[in-house]
Amino acid sequence: MTFEILAVSQQQLSVFWAFIGGMVISGVLIWAVRLGMTVRDREPPPPRPEDHPRLPDSGPVYEELEVREPEEVPRAVRESDRLMPHQLRHCASKRCERQQRKRWSPGSSGAFGSGGGGRT
């Protein structure tokens, strides 16, 4: 019986391992794409057009401007008493009766440190 020894050159082994490595990498990429597809299938669908917000029938709502003034903190009856949270109001300001914006006096400076006379 004769045995033939097949000698494989180093170049042929390099090509074989490069082919095997490419097969492994392509298999991992295929697996990653399939995993991403299954994860995406489990996500909720995108919103339908009727799920999006709509304008009210009365039209767009615009910003409302009003002059506000600070709300006074209620005082305790006796100085030794303390106020409880339920005795305080929820809003720190209230609507001012005079709704005209405060303006600087004509000829006065409006900026601090500008050398002008300031509000007079």
Side-chain angles (χ1 to χ4, degrees):
M1 232 167 130
T2 61
F3 292 98
E4 290 185 19
I5 300 176
L6 298 173
V8 179
S9 69
Q10 185 65 29
Q11 186 177 8
Q12 290 172 335
L13 274 176
S14 297
V15 169
F16 173 74
W17 287 117
F19 177 76
I20 295 297
M23 294 294 286
V24 168
I25 290 173
S26 63
V28 169
L29 289 174
I30 291 171
W31 173 80
V33 168
R34 295 203 59 192
L35 177 68
M37 289 169 58
T38 56
V39 167
R40 187 168 183 184
D41 288 342
R42 284 184 262 166
E43 291 179 352
R48 299 181 309 253
E50 56 269 8
D51 294 337
H52 290 283
R54 298 180 182 269
L55 279 176
D57 293 334
S58 60
V61 179
Y62 295 102
E63 134 182 48
E64 183 176 316
L65 298 175
E66 66 179 8
V67 178
R68 311 236 354 134
E69 64 183 0
E71 182 78 50
E72 294 295 323
V73 176
R75 301 281 180 209
V77 178
R78 287 178 274 147
E79 198 167 316
S80 61
D81 292 341
R82 56 178 223 194
L83 292 174
M84 301 310 260
H86 66 274
Q87 295 171 316
L88 299 174
R89 294 183 184 86
H90 69 282
C91 189
S93 65
K94 63 181 179 181
R95 189 173 196 272
C96 186
E97 291 188 24
R98 195 173 133 230
Q99 287 296 307
Q100 293 177 345
R101 290 177 54 193
K102 294 180 182 176
R103 299 286 183 179
W104 292 102
S105 301
S108 67
S109 170
F112 176 76
S114 63
R119 185 173 178 161
T120 56

